[in-house]
Amino acid sequence: MDARSLYSTLALDGPPLFFPDPPAQITFNFDQGIAAQESFPIEELKELAGRVLDRDGARALEYISFGHDDATGDIIYLPSYVELVLGNTGLREELARWLGRRQGVAGLGPDNFIVTSGSVQAIALATMAFVNPGEGVLAESASFPYATRFLQMRGADLRTVDIDDQGLVIESLERRLEEFRRDGIRPKLLYLIPTFQLPTGAVLPEDRRRRLLEIAEEWDLVVLEDSIYADLRYDGEPVPSLLSLDTSGRVIQSHAFSKVMAPALRLGWMAGRPDMIEALAAVRQDLGVSQWLCRLMAAYLAEDRMDAHLESANAIYRRKRDIAVAGVLEHCGEWVDFTVPQGGFYLWLRMRDGVDWEKAQHEAVMGGVFCRPGERFTDSADSGRYLRLAFSHAPEHELRRGIEVLGAAITNAAKG
Ligand SMILES: Cc1ncc(COP(=O)(O)O)c(C=O)c1O
């Protein structure tokens, strides 16, 4: 049987999900942007997981929250079926409190949140909820491949907006919108990562954010703000989120515990106006995420542990970023250009002319170093000259040694 002959066109036609493994054993993995294992609050999570089970008993292991009469031990059936689609109410309440305070957004409550399996699910749901096949969507010209994949699989007309070292270029956004108008296509949604952009690390300045929101208003766009790296700041002052600047309720913001705590929690969310969030609930095709983990993270937030955790995690990443930057300057500095990011997990390196990048890449891989090639993020003409070095996960000694090996490979390819 040829299984592929049974595939739906959707399953057959999507852009590739997986890429071939590197051709050699990887010792220095700078490929995936993953939270550092040494930052995982294992003892706290162990203690809280047990405490939540002691406190809530079987209720923590249900699909949805039931009330409980402590005197009789009876279950009280509350109208909590909404949790099947929106997720645990307690976590949504705590997210509203934490995010509202951190981003300065007043008036948030549980109805402003849907809890999802990581933030990728939130992005996928938004795609289905707001975009019809054939409608126009916009993303930065280098972006998160899963998000652009979802948009393409939805059958949207995806066009890209130029970026510079401060993120999305407003004039380019206006040009693309005009092009849609000229082509008779309704532009519907703009997906962007305004803070510690993936892969460049750029932060969109406040004046561009304000202008972007005016344009979104003018063109009646949904703005999907991917906020996954925004709390991972190592220097500089925070810039207001799009969600906090939005006055018309057209910004929806995806976020998750994946990068700021641990990916295996698989807990993400979308925040936005309740009637915007309802659209995501309407297209959801599962029965929610783990009540137990939601209750655990609700307790974590309720006990105000998150900000302290972020501070210690950010200290780890600041050190790693500094080691990576120093290593690249010392070993590859002559051959690459990059901007030191103020946050996030990556260095976005551009090879200067004169480096045979394919040769450098091959030699680096044979030396056990793997970075993610630029063409995974962008199809711009010079994508082949870029690589993304993720510094977040590797231990410090591997970062030092691996970048030395990478430097040797680039130098050889430049001289040869
Ligand atoms: C820009 C961006 N958005 C979203 C995600 C999704 O993360 P998760 O689904 O683990 O929350 C990632 C993960 O790499 C990412 O880089």
Side-chain angles (χ1 to χ4, degrees), residues 280-347:
L280 275 70
V283 297
R284 183 166 204 151
Q285 294 185 341
D286 63 9
L287 296 180
V289 294
S290 158
Q291 277 280 336
W292 181 20
L293 293 184
C294 285
R295 284 165 185 251
L296 188 163
M297 287 313 296
Y300 196 91
L301 293 174
E303 294 173 17
D304 280 332
R305 295 165 184 248
M306 196 62 193
D307 290 350
H309 169 74
L310 276 170
E311 214 169 292
S312 65
N314 283 345
I316 293 171
Y317 298 126
R318 183 180 301 113
R319 246 182 88 80
K320 289 190 174 190
R321 189 236 7 220
D322 291 346
I323 290 169
V325 167
V328 170
L329 287 175
E330 182 179 347
H331 301 293
C332 326
E334 208 182 323
W335 306 109
V336 303
D337 292 306
F338 70 106
T339 306
V340 178
Q342 292 191 323
F345 283 173
Y346 315 102
L347 301 186

Side-chain angles (χ1 to χ4, degrees), residues 114-294:
I114 181 169
V115 181
T116 51
S117 171
S119 60
V120 275
Q121 190 190 17
I123 297 166
L125 289 178
T127 301
M128 285 196 288
F130 294 109
V131 182
N132 291 308
E135 286 180 335
V137 291
L138 297 144
E140 292 145 312
S141 60
S143 185
F144 178 45
Y146 279 89
T148 48
R149 180 173 197 273
F150 297 148
L151 291 165
Q152 283 169 297
M153 289 185 79
R154 184 68 185 138
D157 185 336
L158 171 66
R159 302 192 186 179
T160 59
V161 181
D162 295 344
I163 48 177
D164 62 16
D165 59 359
Q166 299 195 307
L168 184 120
V169 174
I170 296 292
E171 294 70 28
S172 170
L173 173 63
E174 289 176 310
R175 267 197 309 276
R176 291 288 168 273
L177 287 165
E178 287 299 343
E179 283 164 19
F180 274 131
R181 174 151 39 213
R182 193 195 55 211
D183 298 344
I185 292 166
R186 157 85 164 102
K188 197 66 173 297
L189 180 142
L190 165 64
Y191 166 79
L192 79 164
I193 313 158
T195 309
F196 310 129
Q197 205 267 348
L198 177 87
T200 64
V203 178
L204 195 69
E206 185 172 339
D207 57 338
R208 287 200 202 180
R209 292 180 189 229
R210 290 188 184 277
R211 184 67 197 118
L212 180 156
L213 291 174
E214 282 170 8
I215 294 171
E217 189 66 28
E218 227 172 280
W219 288 82
D220 197 19
L221 297 178
V222 176
V223 178
L224 171 41
E225 173 180 35
D226 185 334
S227 196
I228 191 126
Y229 298 108
D231 294 296
L232 299 163
R233 175 175 280 283
Y234 320 134
D235 6 81
E237 286 305 311
V239 180
S241 67
L242 291 170
L243 186 71
S244 73
L245 296 173
D246 176 31
T247 49
S248 64
R250 59 181 62 258
V251 175
I252 50 173
Q253 185 191 72
S254 58
H255 203 339
F257 294 122
S258 316
K259 309 289 178 186
V260 297
M261 184 166 292
L265 291 165
R266 300 315 299 134
L267 282 182
W269 60 89
M270 187 74 85
R273 213 170 72 175
D275 52 355
M276 297 288 275
I277 294 303
E278 267 172 36
L280 275 70
V283 297
R284 183 166 204 151
Q285 294 185 341
D286 63 9
L287 296 180
V289 294
S290 158
Q291 277 280 336
W292 181 20
L293 293 184
C294 285

Side-chain angles (χ1 to χ4, degrees), residues 395-414:
E396 291 181 8
H397 65 277
E398 285 184 13
L399 261 180
R400 287 197 183 86
R401 178 72 194 122
I403 291 173
E404 207 178 317
V405 174
L406 176 68
I410 293 175
T411 307
N412 278 344

Side-chain angles (χ1 to χ4, degrees), residues 384-397:
R385 304 212 67 78
Y386 284 91
L387 84 164
R388 187 193 76 174
L389 187 158
F391 55 76
S392 53
H393 193 254
E396 291 181 8
H397 65 277

